[in-house]
Amino acid sequence: MCGRARCTLRADDIPRACHRTVANTRFLHTDRYRPSYNVSPGFNLPVLRREDASDGEGYALHCMKWGLIPSFTKKTDKPDHYKMFNARAESIDEKASFRRLIPKNRCLVAVEGFYEWKKDGSRKQPYYIHFKDGRPLVFAALYDSWQNSEGEILCTFTIVTTSSSSALQWLHDRMPVILGDKDSTDVWLGSSASSYKNVLKPYEESDLVWYPVTPGMGKPSFDGPECIKEIQLKTEGNTSISKFFSRKGAESEPIKQEQKISSHELIKTEPPTDLREEAKTEEGENDLKSRGCPHYQDATKVPIKRDYDTFSADSKPALANNDQVRENPVKKKEKGKTADDKQPTLFSFFGKR
């Protein structure tokens, strides 16, 4: 498929690009031609064709609209240039719109490059395809003329496409028929009824290159050198989510290194000074234990037994006034304990009674 192209060539450069001389070329309606970096169906482009009464030596550079309107189209119909802007090489000798044009209506279209889109789900990324040395690409094409209800004659053309080359299959399954040398252009413009099929094949040479361009050129109104400016595609590793996890991984490295220390080294490690000082009193011990401080546990390694009822009473949330329940006398006595008292046990409780 070929639906966008760059054609900023001067009109008088196109015959030479098609391996023809300007001397024996007639120019028709070239004042309608407007060079553009983003040509789409409906645009006027110079097309090189044989002269109607020529034996093969005379040519015309005729400005035509891209998007074929067959001559048998009703005069009252509105032209739709997007309907036949391409013609499949495999079926041009079968479809009536193209078959009758093969004998005398073959032509050449010269551009500097064309665009193709790579589909990635709902996203489409355009690529600019051109020759490495910058020379123009010459496409095989067919043209026709149609007269509307007002008597105006409109000349239009379609670009012939074929299956994609092995190098471009990753991008698209179709590509324009590129005539890479003078011999192939001679064959296509010649009068032979069968030899033209020999040039309707993918262009497999390595001098055809490509690179990604801005998706903004997808709009036909987007024009200028920005259309062919190469851009850097964001790789999967450069997405914001990937960056987030990369940072998290980098921050967690010191933690992972600490985890490599053996259990013996952790036991030998002394807690911070402020924790050792705080642990000197029983009140500090209870405070550290309630917070679950790992340094304290590693430093002492001495488990402290607590009465289950005491622990449950400390962990229960406060009740509303109307929901208060009778408290256990054991708990009341424990609440009366000061911070300076030692941790009570069941034996000490029964002993005092």
Side-chain angles (χ1 to χ4, degrees):
M1 180 177 175
C2 178
R4 295 292 180 86
R6 171 198 173 189
C7 187
T8 57
L9 297 167
R10 295 193 316 173
D12 55 0
D13 287 336
I14 293 177
R16 284 189 289 268
C18 297
H19 309 285
R20 300 298 180 268
T21 61
V22 178
N24 60 347
T25 302
R26 185 165 63 101
F27 289 73
L28 294 173
H29 308 301
T30 53
D31 56 318
R32 301 175 184 175
Y33 168 55
R34 296 290 182 273
S36 174
Y37 285 86
N38 195 1
V39 178
S40 60
F43 276 60
N44 286 292
L45 283 180
V47 172
L48 188 79
R49 62 172 177 81
R50 287 180 298 174
E51 283 281 23
D52 296 333
S54 172
D55 58 358
E57 296 299 326
Y59 300 94
L61 189 69
H62 194 161
C63 196
M64 303 182 186
K65 279 201 172 186
W66 184 7
L68 190 75
I69 307 298
S71 58
F72 54 78
T73 304
K74 292 182 180 180
K75 294 184 178 182
T76 55
D77 286 354
K78 184 179 179 180
D80 183 2
H81 297 286
Y82 279 87
K83 191 175 181 180
M84 296 184 187
F85 63 88
N86 283 161
R88 296 175 68 94
E90 298 86 349
S91 59
I92 59 172
D93 56 351
E94 299 173 2
K95 294 186 176 181
S97 299
F98 310 132
R99 182 178 63 245
R100 58 191 178 78
L101 304 178
I102 294 176
K104 296 183 179 180
N105 289 48
R106 299 199 292 261
C107 61
L108 303 176
V109 177
V111 297
E112 288 135 305
F114 67 99
Y115 304 93
E116 196 55 80
W117 278 258
K118 171 65 176 176
K119 292 182 180 180
D120 185 10
S122 60
R123 183 173 174 270
K124 294 182 179 180
Q125 173 59 51
Y127 286 78
Y128 178 61
I129 305 166
H130 62 102
F131 277 136
K132 189 184 299 184
D133 59 5
R135 74 183 189 276
L137 287 77
V138 180
F139 298 154
L142 298 170
Y143 73 93
D144 203 354
S145 60
W146 167 73
Q147 187 175 12
N148 61 18
S149 58
E150 298 178 356
E152 180 185 3
I153 297 177
L154 179 65
C155 293
T156 59
F157 70 93
T158 182
I159 294 175
V160 182
T161 64
T162 184
S163 58
S164 185
S165 66
S166 56
L168 285 174
Q169 286 179 355
W170 66 274
L171 181 58
H172 203 278
D173 60 348
R174 305 292 296 178
M175 69 181 298
V177 173
I178 300 175
L179 307 175
D181 52 34
K182 186 179 184 302
D183 291 340
S184 58
T185 59
D186 289 343
V187 170
W188 182 249
L189 288 179
S191 57
S192 173
S194 59
S195 60
Y196 70 90
K197 294 182 180 180
N198 297 330
V199 299
L200 299 181
K201 56 186 179 181
Y203 186 84
E204 295 286 357
E205 301 299 327
S206 60
D207 54 350
L208 196 64
V209 295
W210 54 86
Y211 57 81
V213 294
T214 175
M217 59 76 50
K219 297 180 179 180
S221 58
F222 190 90
D223 198 2
E226 296 82 5
C227 291
I228 62 169
K229 184 178 180 181
E230 184 176 3
I231 64 170
Q232 297 297 324
L233 296 180
K234 291 183 179 180
T235 59
E236 189 175 350
N238 289 336
T239 59
S240 57
I241 295 178
S242 301
K243 287 182 179 179
F244 172 78
F245 283 108
S246 297
R247 288 197 297 269
K248 291 284 287 185
E251 291 173 358
S252 62
E253 286 182 0
I255 298 175
K256 291 181 180 179
Q257 292 177 358
E258 290 181 4
Q259 291 176 351
K260 293 180 180 180
I261 302 175
S262 65
S263 58
H264 298 289
E265 291 175 339
L266 285 174
I267 293 174
K268 292 180 182 179
T269 302
E270 294 184 358
T273 306
D274 55 339
L275 292 181
R276 290 202 304 271
E277 293 176 355
E278 191 177 7
K280 289 181 181 179
T281 62
E282 292 178 359
E283 181 180 2
E285 291 175 354
N286 292 335
D287 182 54
L288 287 174
K289 184 171 180 65
S290 65
R291 287 182 293 174
C293 178
H295 294 289
Y296 171 77
Q297 294 173 1
D298 292 338
T300 59
K301 297 296 180 179
V302 179
I304 298 176
K305 290 185 178 180
R306 293 188 65 186
D307 183 61
Y308 175 78
D309 292 336
T310 304
F311 178 79
S312 301
D314 293 341
S315 61
K316 285 182 179 179
L319 299 174
N321 293 334
N322 56 350
D323 293 335
Q324 288 182 353
V325 296
R326 183 179 300 175
E327 294 183 344
N328 194 312
V330 177
K331 295 178 183 177
K332 288 183 179 181
K333 287 189 177 184
E334 289 175 356
K335 286 185 179 180
K337 297 283 184 179
T338 63
D340 295 333
D341 293 337
K342 294 183 178 180
Q343 184 74 21
T345 64
L346 290 176
F347 294 104
S348 61
F349 173 75
F350 287 108
K352 289 182 180 181
R353 293 189 65 181

